[in-house]
Amino acid sequence: AFRGNAVKRSTISASYNPINEDVIKEQMAEIDLFFIRSRVYMIMLLSPLEYSFVAPIPDKTVESVFEVIDAYIKESKSKGFNITYMRSDNERAFLTKRFTDRLAEAEIVQDTVAAGGHAPKAERRIRFVKEKARIIWHMLPYNPSATIQDWLVMFANRVTNMQRASNSISTLTPREKFTGRQGDFRHVKAPFGSYVQCVVPNTNNTMEQRTEAGIALMPKDNLTGTWYIYKIQTGRIVSRDNFTVIPMPDKLVQHMNRLAIADGLKVIVPDTNDYTPDPAYDRLTLNQDAAQPVDITKRLNNVTEENKHVEIGGVDSNKKKIENNIILHENNPCSQENETELFHVDKETELVN
């Protein structure tokens, strides 16, 4: 019904709340590379601002590395910040003459650590970004594809920039200092990776559907709360103002998992320790070894019978009665005909001997 009667709402009114604090404009940058599931990411941390940039790069060549760094430098200059020094470890791309010459053209002095050393602040920021990415990762009902993973890492970095630095005496976050304005929480519209129905940019009076399916990625950081959306039908990244978060169907979970496999990425199966099955999200996931759909509920409850097994909890030995949960496992949980059913018993039932 939502696809047919969705109405395009008016855009949030633009709000600009400038910060009232002087910020040091001369900055030193630390750069480093890190990896997640064999994909390469570039990070640059500005100090004493403590604001970090993160972006995926196709490889570790000088051209790929400096293309991203050049974009970081230009964005910093657009906000009024001047990078004077750039510290790095002994990554091969950072030690080439071409890289040094390009930094000299941008009037940036290169500072390289000793052999075996690291850029300490960049290393610590990588740890923070990876921790937040891991937390968000395991809140998703599917395994991220390459595109979703790249945006997940950038979203984790954005969240990191929205936290006050431990060594700062200011009440402002690094993101507020860098953008020069306070955050607007009206722009926080959806959790990362959630399923959304976006109102099409141009609605009409025909019988065409008025929404399109997508995956919420992150705010665009403009003044009106626009979000980047992964368009499921085309795989493209689009920007949308009007969308509604809805529960993700099992078929979409399977589709997103297949995209991750198609990208050749390692499939990470959620930990099943102390795990309660959820029929909406967790009934179907991927087997890490065979990359085939399996039923987590069957694996959890140690199915021993050929066709089905009933697990009964809350037995009263005196009254020989049971209550609470009965989980019924069918033989073929991945087919539509014998789809796994979860039953909840709210009243006492006679125990059959």
Side-chain angles (χ1 to χ4, degrees):
F2 184 76
R3 294 183 179 181
N5 60 11
V7 178
K8 189 174 182 179
R9 301 184 299 271
S10 59
T11 305
I12 297 176
S13 58
S15 62
Y16 182 78
N17 300 313
I19 61 174
N20 297 316
E21 183 175 313
D22 293 332
V23 180
I24 299 175
K25 297 299 182 180
E26 299 294 322
Q27 299 289 320
M28 184 187 75
E30 285 195 11
I31 57 175
D32 203 352
L33 302 178
F34 65 98
F35 301 83
I36 298 179
R37 288 202 303 182
S38 74
R39 295 187 64 79
V40 191
Y41 298 91
M42 179 79 199
I43 189 169
M44 183 172 83
L45 176 67
L46 301 182
S47 297
L49 188 64
E50 304 303 322
Y51 182 88
S52 57
F53 303 86
V54 169
I57 58 176
D59 49 53
K60 299 192 295 181
T61 61
V62 176
E63 296 299 328
S64 298
V65 169
F66 200 83
E67 181 181 359
V68 175
I69 291 179
D70 188 50
Y72 293 162
I73 295 173
K74 290 179 179 178
E75 185 175 356
S76 299
K77 287 185 177 180
S78 69
K79 304 295 184 182
F81 295 97
N82 183 34
I83 300 175
T84 55
Y85 281 84
M86 184 169 292
R87 178 181 296 173
S88 67
D89 59 12
N90 291 287
E91 181 68 38
R92 181 174 299 178
F94 302 155
L95 301 179
T96 61
K97 185 177 183 301
R98 284 188 299 165
F99 186 83
T100 304
D101 291 343
R102 291 198 175 188
L103 288 182
E105 292 174 2
E107 299 181 350
I108 298 175
V109 179
Q110 185 178 18
D111 181 27
T112 307
V113 301
H118 300 279
K121 289 188 176 182
E123 290 278 347
R124 187 166 181 81
R125 180 55 62 93
I126 290 173
R127 173 188 169 187
F128 290 157
V129 171
K130 279 190 172 183
E131 285 177 350
K132 288 177 174 57
R134 192 179 301 114
I135 292 171
I136 300 169
W137 188 303
H138 289 284
M139 294 174 65
L140 298 176
Y142 54 85
N143 284 277
S145 63
T147 301
I148 300 297
Q149 175 181 307
D150 291 345
W151 284 90
L152 187 153
V153 175
M154 290 188 289
F155 179 82
N157 178 68
R158 183 179 186 274
V159 173
T160 304
N161 285 327
M162 295 176 69
Q163 291 181 279
R164 286 180 55 195
S166 60
N167 60 350
S168 174
I169 61 174
S170 172
T171 59
L172 301 176
T173 66
R175 181 179 174 276
E176 290 174 328
K177 294 177 183 178
F178 183 78
T179 60
R181 56 188 172 90
Q182 299 177 8
D184 189 343
F185 285 92
R186 294 182 302 168
H187 301 171
V188 183
K189 299 180 179 180
F192 177 88
S194 54
Y195 176 47
V196 296
Q197 284 288 333
C198 308
V199 180
V200 296
N202 300 305
T203 58
N204 52 46
N205 291 325
T206 66
M207 297 307 293
E208 296 181 0
Q209 67 181 34
R210 293 196 164 196
T211 64
E212 51 192 7
I215 301 295
L217 298 177
M218 61 185 289
K220 194 177 180 179
D221 281 339
N222 60 0
L223 299 179
T224 56
T226 303
W227 269 60
Y228 290 113
I229 303 292
Y230 174 83
K231 193 174 178 180
I232 296 172
Q233 185 176 6
T234 62
R236 297 175 55 190
I237 307 301
V238 297
S239 57
R240 296 289 184 267
D241 288 323
N242 298 315
F243 57 85
T244 301
V245 180
I246 60 177
M248 181 173 291
D250 287 347
K251 286 187 178 295
L252 180 55
V253 174
Q254 297 177 44
H255 173 72
M256 299 303 294
N257 286 331
R258 285 193 293 268
L259 291 180
I261 295 176
D263 288 336
L265 298 177
K266 180 181 178 182
V267 175
I268 300 178
V269 179
D271 185 13
T272 58
N273 295 329
D274 192 22
Y275 182 82
T276 302
D278 185 333
Y281 296 106
D282 306 321
R283 187 166 47 191
L284 186 63
T285 187
L286 291 173
N287 186 310
Q288 184 170 351
D289 298 325
Q292 296 294 328
V294 297
D295 186 9
I296 291 182
T297 57
K298 177 178 287 187
R299 184 171 57 191
L300 288 173
N301 294 285
N302 299 320
V303 179
T304 57
E305 297 183 12
E306 180 178 357
N307 293 324
K308 60 185 178 181
H309 168 72
V310 178
E311 179 183 78
I312 304 176
V315 177
D316 187 334
S317 58
N318 295 328
K319 298 181 181 180
K320 292 185 178 182
K321 295 181 178 181
I322 62 170
E323 59 183 0
N324 295 333
N325 297 314
I326 295 180
I327 302 178
L328 180 63
H329 300 280
E330 296 295 340
N331 183 39
N332 189 6
C334 294
S335 67
Q336 295 181 356
E337 293 79 8
N338 296 319
E339 186 178 3
T340 302
E341 297 178 6
L342 303 181
F343 296 94
H344 182 74
V345 177
D346 297 318
K347 61 180 181 178
E348 294 184 344
T349 308
E350 294 291 341
L351 177 65
V352 180
N353 293 324

